[in-house]
Amino acid sequence: MTPLTFGPAGRRLFGIFHAPATGLAPASAVLLCPPMGQELFRAQRFLRVLSDRLARAGVAVLRFDYHGTGDSPGDDEDGDMAGWQGDVAAAHAELRRRAGAVPVAWCGARLGATLAAAAAHAAAQGPQHLLMWDPVLDGAAYLRALREAHASVLIKSFCLPVPGLRRRLAAEPDAYTEGPLGYGLSARLRQELRELVPQRVALSPAHGTTVLAMPQDATAQAWAEAQRALARPVQRVPFAHTWGWTEDQQRPGQATMVPAEPLQQLLQRLRAPAEATA
């Protein structure tokens, strides 16, 4: 693993490059576009293990933090969708510089999947394949889920009166959205999320896309069908898993374990991006 900083002078980003463990030149490369907030915190170990496994298979990997998240400069409140989309493009350029002219896949989780789709749509030269894991397609619903998770943590952790919290959730649409689960969201980002609807998430016809989403995710299914109607090469794969994106702990004894099902699914689909495109 090689820690590094990259990007324009006024917006440096932190990343970790995983060179192929074989010592040979990579046959392919993967850019990991992480989620944000508590979901990023929960996914850090998973992304580390995924990167290590891919590197063992001869794949070059770059994982990174968006501006104002993780170890990249900036504050929580500096984050916005447009800026983070540019961060994905900067990370892609850095990966291409280090890995060379090999097929590149992007793998985005949650909001990272949405950002990756937007960046690929705008890129002159994007990925050969895009893997979207549980993408956020309805920003307003995503905000509601975050604030409800925040209220649940308050109730469980501090034994606060439930009626008062529930009344505030019902009466104030913005309640608990400024810093859900301990991570600040700028006013601009909150507004961008409220305006995020499936119709505004477009795919490029220049690459294939695989969507891994829960079987009951009707929004992802309808969106994938709409993209296929526009002649976009997209495949939706129903994928049930026990991973909790915002949970402090998993089932007893699993708090620090990397779940096998998502890991194997992603490994299978990322080892050979060129084959996934075919």
Side-chain angles (χ1 to χ4, degrees):
M1 296 186 298
T2 303
L4 54 96
T5 57
F6 61 92
R11 195 180 174 95
R12 302 294 286 172
L13 303 172
F14 175 81
I16 295 179
F17 178 70
H18 296 251
T22 59
L24 303 175
S28 62
V30 169
L31 177 66
L32 296 181
C33 302
M36 69 160 196
Q38 179 68 14
E39 295 182 341
L40 170 61
F41 177 76
R42 287 281 301 114
Q44 286 285 26
R45 178 169 167 75
F46 179 92
L47 296 176
R48 160 71 184 273
V49 173
L50 176 62
S51 300
D52 286 343
R53 297 285 182 87
L54 287 169
R56 291 181 199 171
V59 180
V61 182
L62 177 62
R63 53 190 174 101
F64 71 101
D65 295 326
Y66 310 109
H67 177 73
T69 72
D71 291 309
S72 287
D75 297 324
D76 287 358
E77 290 77 12
D78 294 337
D80 66 277
M81 296 278 286
W84 287 346
Q85 179 181 326
D87 294 344
V88 175
H92 176 69
E94 180 66 18
L95 178 59
R96 289 297 300 269
R97 187 180 74 81
R98 290 177 176 271
V102 298
V104 178
W106 292 2
C107 175
R110 301 294 286 148
L111 192 64
T114 315
L115 295 168
H121 187 267
Q125 185 179 12
Q128 276 72 28
H129 194 79
L130 172 62
L131 179 60
M132 304 175 72
W133 181 21
D134 285 347
V136 174
L137 301 170
D138 184 336
Y142 179 60
L143 272 179
R144 288 195 299 272
L146 287 179
R147 75 194 195 108
E148 288 167 3
H150 183 84
S152 295
V153 169
L154 290 178
I155 293 169
K156 293 176 182 177
S157 300
F158 302 105
C159 300
L160 296 179
V162 175
L165 287 174
R166 295 304 178 193
R167 282 197 298 268
R168 188 179 178 201
L169 281 174
E172 302 177 34
D174 289 337
Y176 310 118
T177 60
E178 293 184 359
L181 299 169
Y183 294 86
L185 302 182
S186 67
R188 179 176 179 179
L189 178 57
R190 297 199 304 274
Q191 186 59 34
E192 288 175 325
L193 288 171
R194 293 187 190 99
E195 295 171 355
L196 176 62
V197 292
Q199 295 81 358
R200 299 189 67 173
V201 182
L203 292 175
S204 168
H207 61 78
T209 301
T210 300
V211 181
L212 294 178
M214 298 292 281
Q216 66 270 27
D217 190 341
T219 300
Q221 179 176 353
W223 174 76
E225 291 172 354
Q227 291 298 306
R228 279 196 294 270
L230 297 173
R232 301 298 188 257
V234 57
Q235 175 190 23
R236 175 182 173 270
V237 179
F239 177 46
H241 58 81
T242 58
W243 181 262
W245 286 107
T246 58
E247 295 177 10
D248 289 333
Q249 292 186 342
Q250 299 294 306
R251 290 176 294 180
Q254 291 188 335
T256 59
M257 293 180 65
V258 171
E261 309 104 313
L263 183 63
Q264 292 304 318
Q265 275 277 359
L266 269 61
L267 283 172
Q268 177 184 347
R269 298 173 184 279
L270 291 172
R271 285 194 182 105
E275 295 177 10
T277 309

